[in-house]
Amino acid sequence: MAHNFNAGPAVLARAVLERAQAELLDYQGRGMSILEMSHRSKEYEAINASAEARFKALLGLGEGYRVLFMQGGASGQFALIPLNFLPAGAAADYIVTGVWGEKAVEEARLVGQARVAASSAAGGFRGLPPVGEIELSARPAYVHITTNETIQGVQWHELPALGDAPLIADMSSDIMSRPFDAARFAMIYAGAQKNIGPAGVTAVLIRDSLLAQGRGDLPAMLRYSTFAKNSSLYNTPPVFAVYMLDLCLAWIQDRGGLPAMAEHNARKAAHVYTAIDRSGGFYRGHAEPAARSLMNVTFRLPDEALERQFVAEAQAAGMVGLAGHRSVGGIRASLYNALPEESCLALAAFMEEFLRKNG
Ligand code: PMP
């Protein structure tokens, strides 16, 4: 198997793939695969309900929240959030720590008044804005934050106090990777394709009280309430993606839930950051140490020719997906939940060897 450092779609647990393979031709003795069944079948309804229940159980939430399975990616959410929750005359506050937060606020500006309440752009998105510099509006419609910036490799490890307005988080690249106080959030959304499943489904956790505030005169597919009222079955959902998501959540539960994921992920990231820190400046981490992402490790080499050589030689050694995002270059190693620790040990050893030969 390849050591898969892809940023998303990304590595899936082998046990999950094997289960999907075993069930593919004949799902629960029905003589057909889940791909071929009605989304109104009792089999699919059970998967849909299971995925919602597991999602809430992993986050320690019960009544008062819904989990919706939508399409259009996290990028679609950038537009749907202001369409539903940013009425004329109100302002929404965005905390911007990288490219994805920038995209979110740009989309919101097409809809209404969206403000940047804090940004780390001036420092090249290497760190997090100092808590004292977050300037919230008097009464924002909501506050939006990106908990992990996938391209820059910058992650909030402790979320600052952000007032009483509904707090909305893009957790596309760190959902279910560590325990956190989910009850603080009015809404959390994530494209599944990094930590919790394949591409094609976007998971949205939303508090009932926020749902109730959503604008009622939008087309049905743009309203969160449509998905909530119909348990994500208003129209044909991405059935196979939701099935895979349910298997991935079950795998996380079986492994010990979010505390176990956090412990595993911290150990994995430490192998790679240690290789950076021991390189005497040959590898230069992009993120300031306090903001280092445990999911996406971003770093540079002395020049771009060496970076290309690094990616090519790593690939030849069975390590794929290490080129940085096309917008920033450099190297990025994505270490999502399903990536085994062995892959991080292999990468750290490769980094040491590459330094010895080229440093
Ligand atoms: N937000 C974050 C933090 C992301 O990492 C990504 C995808 N890399 C997106 C949003 C966009 O997600 P999608 O491709 O599902 O629209």
Side-chain angles (χ1 to χ4, degrees):
M1 298 298 280
H3 293 295
N4 184 350
F5 297 97
N6 279 322
V11 59
L12 291 165
R14 196 176 164 92
V16 165
L17 292 171
E18 283 170 354
R19 169 97 181 261
Q21 183 183 45
E23 292 182 339
L24 189 65
L25 294 184
D26 186 6
Y27 187 74
Q28 296 189 347
R30 286 285 308 276
M32 67 182 85
S33 76
I34 193 71
L35 284 151
E36 302 163 288
M37 266 182 223
S38 169
H39 57 293
R40 310 278 173 209
S41 63
K42 67 176 186 348
E43 287 80 2
Y44 183 72
E45 282 192 356
I47 289 167
N48 189 50
S50 165
E52 173 164 12
R54 288 189 204 282
F55 201 99
K56 291 210 285 188
L58 279 164
L59 297 182
L61 297 174
E63 291 293 299
Y65 288 86
R66 294 302 307 274
V67 180
L68 316 176
F69 300 116
M70 303 177 72
Q71 298 184 66
S75 303
Q77 298 297 316
F78 294 165
L80 294 185
I81 291 163
L83 281 169
N84 281 267
F85 304 124
L86 181 50
D93 289 345
Y94 282 72
I95 296 165
V96 178
T97 51
V99 165
W100 294 110
E102 271 184 336
K103 290 209 161 137
V105 72
E106 276 163 23
E107 288 287 281
R109 282 185 171 144
L110 296 173
V111 175
Q113 199 192 327
R115 296 179 55 249
V116 174
S119 170
S120 51
F125 292 132
R126 290 173 181 277
L128 300 165
V131 173
E133 287 175 19
I134 300 175
E135 291 179 12
L136 299 176
S137 316
R139 294 194 50 177
Y142 59 83
V143 177
H144 182 281
I145 192 163
T146 312
T147 49
N148 183 68
E149 281 286 354
T150 321
I151 292 176
Q152 278 80 16
V154 166
Q155 186 176 26
W156 285 95
H157 294 292
E158 234 171 275
L159 225 50
L162 291 168
D164 301 328
L167 182 57
I168 300 182
D170 176 358
M171 294 197 186
S172 292
S173 48
D174 65 355
I175 186 88
M176 305 298 181
S177 69
R178 57 180 176 178
F180 64 99
D181 181 8
R184 269 190 77 181
F185 296 88
M187 175 172 164
I188 292 168
Y189 63 98
Q193 65 270 20
K194 300 166 194 299
N195 261 329
I196 53 172
V201 61
T202 309
V204 177
L205 173 92
I206 188 163
R207 200 185 275 155
D208 289 343
S209 56
L210 182 64
L211 257 178
Q213 288 171 35
R215 190 170 152 173
D217 59 354
L218 293 169
M221 284 301 286
L222 305 185
R223 270 183 269 137
Y224 291 106
S225 58
T226 304
F227 286 79
K229 275 182 202 138
N230 296 282
S231 297
S232 307
L233 289 164
Y234 171 75
N235 78 324
T236 315
V239 292
F240 195 70
V242 176
Y243 159 75
M244 290 295 292
L245 181 142
D246 185 48
L247 294 186
C248 289
L249 297 182
W251 177 83
I252 294 172
Q253 288 178 316
D254 291 347
R255 299 261 314 217
L258 304 193
M261 289 297 122
E263 192 267 327
H264 188 229
N265 288 330
R267 212 147 24 89
K268 282 158 35 185
H271 294 312
V272 185
Y273 282 119
T274 300
I276 292 174
D277 291 339
R278 286 201 186 142
S279 73
F282 182 78
Y283 300 114
R284 284 171 291 119
H286 172 80
E288 291 166 6
R292 282 176 165 179
S293 169
L294 301 186
M295 297 280 99
N296 311 99
V297 180
T298 49
F299 56 97
R300 307 295 313 227
L301 271 66
D303 60 56
E304 287 182 16
L306 273 173
E307 287 170 351
R308 280 192 296 274
Q309 186 188 335
F310 180 96
V311 171
E313 289 184 14
Q315 173 120 20
M319 287 168 250
V320 303
L322 287 165
H325 190 271
R326 59 191 187 283
S327 64
V328 296
I331 309 294
R332 170 174 58 174
S334 297
L335 317 178
Y336 301 125
N337 282 342
L339 185 79
E341 185 174 2
E342 296 78 70
S343 294
C344 295
L345 288 167
L347 176 59
F350 172 81
M351 288 170 72
E352 262 179 47
E353 181 67 9
F354 190 88
L355 166 63
R356 205 179 52 72
K357 288 192 191 140
N358 300 282

